[in-house]
Structures are given as structure tokens and as C-alpha cells.
Amino acid sequence: MEFRSIFDAAEVRTEFENAGINIYFIPLIWKYVVQNPNCEWDEIHSLPSSAYPLLQAKFRPSTSTVHFVADSSDEVTTKLLIKLRNGAFVEAVIMRYDTRLGKYGGQPRPGGPRSTLCVSSQVGCKMGCKFCATGSMGFKSNLSSGEIVEQLVHASSLSRIRNVVFMGMGEPLNNYTALVEAIRIMIGPPFQLSPKRITVSTVGITHAIKKLQSDLPNLNLAVSLHAPVQDIRCHIMPAARAFPLERLMDTLREYQKNSEQKIFIEYIMLDGVNDEEQHAHQLGKLLETFEVVVNLIPFNPIGTLSHFRTSSEQKVTKFQRILRGSYNIRTTIRKQMGQDISGACGQLVVTLPDKRSTGSAGLLTDIEDLSL
């Protein structure tokens, strides 16, 4: 018999209701498991007697295990290689920041050191983006809601997680039901994450974007745009053919009207492909009527899998200057984190690092804080 994760909420709720057990006990079980990941069910006191045989027969505190942990040399990034119950692997990445760095509204930021967790939603990905290592794997399988939440449980034993970004392996909106259920668990007890500290990234699956706003209001939406015109986008992101740029922008306009929230725009900088001044002006004109934060992402090499080159620092800075100066668009440049452990943006593909490396460095400013 295949055991399910205790964080597969729909299955747990159904089994409890069928057995006449109050579902009020479910968050209490989750809290105990988070605090005691290797627990046995009989260690949890105060549950109805009928709950114990049910839990023993059908659920496990965790169906995944941390197979390997790799720290970047600057100790700012930690990558977790997680083995699922079916033997497949996914990766999650902890990124450490300092919210006191920089200013907001002209004032110093409050807070202190915090961690953001980048989680995976699928094994592999069917989007096939040519600059992304995960895309080279092809699509293998969807994660259950429990397997998504278990990444947060594993990471929480290593660092206090404040933000969660769905920017790991897979296209989150292609695993929509599990995504929504996992986020609902994360924003409820015992995790109690604010929806405003959860970001879902998508290549632009328009019908799911429309549904997401009504199912999970107040989340941050990030769109992997990566090009200002359709032909370039199709060249580097084959899935863009199914979601034409004009239709995507109409969907985002409607999303923003209904949500009244900023939208994050992710834009990977590929030398000679999408990083010229004309591309900056095209992007500025495309986005000038939106409330957005553009995040320019230096391309991270993925070995022999890609023919792309990283844009020069001068090009990236010029691109940022055009968006800011000519179009008044808030534009940041993503700090490169975790390159040495293949944990940087676009580098997540299941490989086992040769060693665990450590070092020392200061903390960085968290991009997710920009929405606050």
C-alpha cells in the first residue's frame, strides 16, 4: 500500500471526515510534525483514539527525504536535493537576505536577516525554455501538495523561512490543484505565512493566471517574460507559442485591475539576444501602463546545454537605466546566488554536488520585499 503525506490535505481531510474525526485536529498534527519531523503517530497526544490506526495505516509524517545538502561558498545559499517516494529527485533552495539593506519609501527598512525558500512544483518541466537547465530534463511528474509542503518542512529545520517563491523546478500553474492546496496549507496554521510573502512564477499560462487571482488573492505574481516581442520569446521559450504576448498582456492587465497589486516581471539577460537598447525600449513601452517591478536576471551558465552567453555588467546596467529613466519602471538586478552549487536561477536540474563547501559573506536584500 502506498502511504500518503500527512500534508496531502485533501486526502487527510476526506479520511478524517469519513471516519467521523474532527478535521480541527489536522493543523495540530501538522504542527507536531513540523516540530518533530521524525515522529511516530503515537507520540502525538490528545488525538481521538480512532485517529491513530487511521494515520498508521494511510499516512506518513513525511514521504520525502533530504538526500543531500550543499552550501554555497559564501553561505548565503543552501540547496537541498530531496528524494521523493517514487525515487525521483527535486531541488529546493534556501536564500538568505537582510531586509534592513536598502530603503523603502525613502526610509530605512525595518527587520533583519530572513530566508526565502525556492520550491519545486514538478519533476522536470514541459515548458522547454532553452536557457533553463530544468527544461532540459523534460517533464517527469507532478508533485503532490504534500510533496510541495514537505520542502518547506525540510528547509525549516535549517533556517527560519519567511518567504516562499515557486521558482524551482517545474511550471507551477501546470500543477494547479496541488499548487493551490499547498499554498493554502502554507498560509494557515502552523506555518502562517502571509500570502504577500508567497510568489508564484509562471511563463504566462493565461487561463490559470485568471483563476489564481480568485482562488488565492493577495499572492505575488511573477511572470517569466524574458523578451519584449513575441518572436524572440518563442525562440527562447517554445511554450510562448501557446500564449501569445498580446493575450498574455491583456490577461495581466485584467489581473492587475482585479488584484490592485504590482506584478513582478522576470527578464533573463542573454547577450545579443534580448539585451540591446532597442529591447529595453520595447520592454519599457510594453510595460509602461502597468504597475510592475522588473527583475533583470544575469544568465547563469548551464554547461553544454546552452549556446547563450551572459550579458556584460555594462549592458545590464544600461538596460536598467533605460527602464528607470525613460519609462519610470522600477527595475532591479538580481544578485547571483548559489552558482557554485548550481542553485542559481535557471540552474536547477537533478545532479549530486561533489562536495559541501562553506565560506563567509554578508546577507543580501530580498527581492520579495519589494512588494511590501
Side-chain angles (χ1 to χ4, degrees):
M1 175 182 175
E2 185 179 81
F3 293 98
R4 298 301 300 256
S5 168
I6 191 62
F7 295 101
D8 281 323
E11 286 76 8
V12 179
R13 195 177 299 113
T14 296
E15 292 291 346
F16 270 44
E17 288 174 343
N18 290 343
I21 304 171
N22 195 325
I23 61 174
Y24 159 82
F25 290 103
I26 297 175
L28 302 180
I29 297 171
W30 289 342
K31 181 178 180 179
Y32 192 90
V33 170
V34 171
Q35 296 172 343
N36 306 273
N38 299 314
C39 69
E40 298 292 338
W41 294 130
D42 57 10
E43 297 174 17
I44 307 177
H45 304 301
S46 303
L47 296 181
S49 58
S50 57
Y52 296 102
L54 174 61
L55 292 170
Q56 193 68 38
K58 298 192 175 184
F59 298 99
R60 287 290 178 263
S62 180
T63 58
S64 62
T65 57
V66 178
H67 187 75
F68 197 89
V69 176
D71 292 322
S72 62
S73 58
D74 58 13
E75 293 188 320
V76 171
T77 305
T78 299
K79 183 167 74 169
L80 287 70
L81 182 65
I82 297 172
K83 187 175 183 179
L84 305 178
R85 60 188 169 197
N86 63 0
F89 291 87
V90 293
E91 294 180 331
V93 180
I94 301 171
M95 299 164 287
R96 298 173 181 86
Y97 304 88
D98 193 336
T99 58
R100 294 167 297 188
L101 300 178
K103 293 185 177 181
Y104 183 74
Q107 300 297 320
R109 286 183 173 278
R114 295 289 188 272
S115 294
T116 288
L117 177 65
C118 178
V119 299
S120 296
S121 55
Q122 297 177 312
V123 181
C125 183
K126 65 176 66 173
M127 297 296 99
C129 298
K130 295 181 180 180
F131 49 81
C132 179
T134 306
S136 69
M137 294 174 58
F139 173 72
K140 307 297 183 183
S141 62
N142 283 322
L143 271 62
S144 72
S145 60
E147 290 170 329
I148 295 173
V149 175
E150 284 178 15
Q151 295 172 66
L152 176 57
V153 177
H154 293 314
S156 295
S157 68
L158 300 175
S159 186
R160 181 183 176 186
I161 304 299
R162 189 189 68 161
N163 295 342
V164 171
V165 295
F166 284 80
M167 298 181 182
M169 298 170 64
E171 162 56 56
L173 297 188
N174 268 349
N175 189 13
Y176 189 85
T177 300
L179 168 75
V180 170
E181 185 172 274
I183 292 175
R184 285 175 173 160
I185 295 172
M186 291 177 182
I187 62 179
F191 299 103
Q192 299 284 49
L193 292 178
S194 167
K196 294 181 179 180
R197 299 201 186 280
I198 298 177
T199 301
V200 175
S201 176
T202 176
V203 300
I205 301 178
T206 51
H207 62 277
I209 290 174
K210 295 176 182 178
K211 188 168 170 52
L212 186 67
Q213 200 279 322
S214 59
D215 287 343
L216 289 168
N218 300 318
L219 289 183
N220 293 315
L221 176 68
V223 179
S224 297
L225 196 61
H226 303 314
V229 293
Q230 178 71 359
D231 58 344
I232 298 177
R233 202 163 186 261
C234 288
H235 172 64
I236 61 177
M237 304 171 65
R241 295 185 180 92
F243 308 103
L245 189 57
E246 184 177 354
R247 188 200 310 167
L248 173 58
M249 300 314 293
D250 287 342
T251 299
L252 296 181
R253 191 170 288 106
E254 180 183 353
Y255 179 94
Q256 187 152 76
K257 178 182 178 182
N258 293 332
S259 69
E260 298 183 342
Q261 290 178 265
K262 289 185 176 69
I263 297 172
F264 288 104
I265 300 294
E266 298 168 305
Y267 194 97
I268 196 162
M269 299 294 288
L270 303 172
D271 185 46
V273 177
N274 65 351
D275 66 343
E276 306 295 342
E277 290 186 28
Q278 69 180 49
H279 300 131
H281 285 290
Q282 288 172 329
L283 183 63
K285 292 172 182 175
L286 184 70
L287 299 175
E288 62 184 347
T289 61
F290 288 84
E291 288 290 326
V292 296
V293 176
V294 175
N295 192 207
L296 303 179
I297 307 170
F299 171 66
N300 292 303
I302 50 177
T304 58
L305 295 174
S306 175
H307 302 293
F308 297 119
R309 298 184 306 274
T310 304
S311 300
S312 67
E313 186 175 341
Q314 292 77 12
K315 270 191 171 182
V316 177
T317 303
K318 178 65 174 177
F319 204 99
Q320 179 190 45
R321 191 178 301 124
I322 291 172
L323 291 177
R324 283 180 168 180
S326 300
Y327 300 95
N328 197 31
I329 293 175
R330 192 173 187 183
T331 308
T332 63
I333 299 174
R334 181 173 296 182
K335 293 289 292 186
Q336 292 179 311
M337 301 175 67
Q339 267 195 338
D340 57 327
I341 55 171
S342 295
C345 181
Q347 288 187 316
L348 295 191
V349 61
V350 173
T351 55
L352 191 64
D354 294 329
K355 61 183 179 179
R356 181 168 179 153
S357 57
T358 58
S360 62
L363 299 176
L364 303 172
T365 306
D366 190 344
I367 179 63
E368 279 66 48
D369 288 328
L370 294 176
S371 66
L372 303 179

